[in-house]
Amino acid sequence: MDKLNETLRNKAIELGLCDEWQNAWKDGWDKNILIRKFYDGIDFCLSNNYPSNDFIKENFDRTLLIWNNVLVDEKLSILNAKDAAILGGSKVIARYNYRAHGRIYIKDNATLDVTAHNNSFVIVHILGNAKVIARCHDNSTLVLIKHSKQCRIACFGSVAVKEEYGLYENP
């Protein structure tokens, strides 16, 4: 575990990890904490393609990744996920209902079919060549934020679409 922790920390520093995060990074973090930190620092991770999809698949157990909604080359469904990262060639169906709220990041060539019901609130950040089909029902809020001009979307219902290009591009 310490080797994985050290490898991830050193690579992050090489990519420009700020002093605050360097000082906060603790030895002995287990894989669950590392995944939580991935979500906490998602902007840095996406901007730097860090860690790579291959690294994630090689160093984290598939069951643990699925449990934490870090989906790399997966085909499955998720329900009311607070956070989800849909990566690689994944094909995912996501459902939100009963006032649930969620934040999804999708990139690479992944595909997402997301539906919001019953006052749920969902934000989907779309990068790369990802494809999203979005359906919004009832009094729900579903917002798609396009970070790539190559991504593709299809919307049904009152889905809000915003463009925020350049945020996840590493200079």
Side-chain angles (χ1 to χ4, degrees):
M1 208 41 247
D2 287 336
K3 178 70 174 155
L4 177 61
N5 222 342
E6 180 182 348
T7 300
L8 284 169
R9 186 175 188 274
N10 289 342
K11 181 62 176 177
I13 290 169
E14 180 184 312
L15 293 169
L17 186 68
C18 70
D19 290 339
E20 180 183 346
W21 273 75
Q22 288 181 43
N23 295 332
W25 200 308
K26 304 288 184 211
D27 291 332
W29 279 352
D30 66 19
K31 290 182 179 182
N32 281 306
I33 293 173
L34 290 171
I35 291 171
R36 184 73 250 145
K37 294 300 180 182
F38 168 76
Y39 283 121
D40 291 346
I42 194 80
D43 290 342
F44 176 85
C45 292
L46 293 175
S47 294
N48 291 287
N49 194 31
Y50 162 83
S52 71
N53 294 345
D54 288 339
F55 186 91
I56 292 169
K57 287 174 29 175
E58 290 168 10
N59 291 280
F60 289 83
D61 179 73
R62 180 176 177 258
T63 303
L64 179 65
L65 291 171
I66 291 170
W67 181 258
N68 286 282
N69 298 309
V70 178
L71 310 173
V72 184
D73 300 324
E74 294 290 346
K75 184 177 180 181
L76 49 85
S77 296
I78 57 177
L79 177 65
N80 295 333
K82 180 180 176 189
D83 289 307
I86 303 170
L87 313 170
S90 293
K91 295 181 189 320
V92 175
I93 297 171
R95 305 261 185 255
Y96 289 85
N97 55 37
Y98 303 115
R99 299 179 191 232
H101 59 89
R103 175 179 70 151
I104 300 173
Y105 294 86
I106 179 171
K107 68 176 211 158
D108 304 322
N109 293 305
T111 301
L112 170 66
D113 185 333
V114 58
T115 303
H117 285 283
N118 304 105
N119 295 307
S120 58
F121 180 88
V122 185
I123 297 176
V124 181
H125 294 268
I126 312 164
L127 296 83
N129 295 313
K131 179 182 176 185
V132 174
I133 300 167
R135 297 173 179 87
C136 190
H137 303 282
D138 312 317
N139 292 319
S140 296
T141 301
L142 180 51
V143 180
L144 305 183
I145 303 176
K146 296 171 62 174
H147 297 285
S148 164
K149 293 183 180 181
Q150 293 77 32
C151 68
R152 293 162 288 157
I153 62 171
C155 302
F156 304 92
S158 58
V159 176
V161 178
K162 299 181 180 201
E163 296 177 348
E164 199 172 283
Y165 301 122
L167 177 66
Y168 294 112
E169 295 173 7
N170 195 350

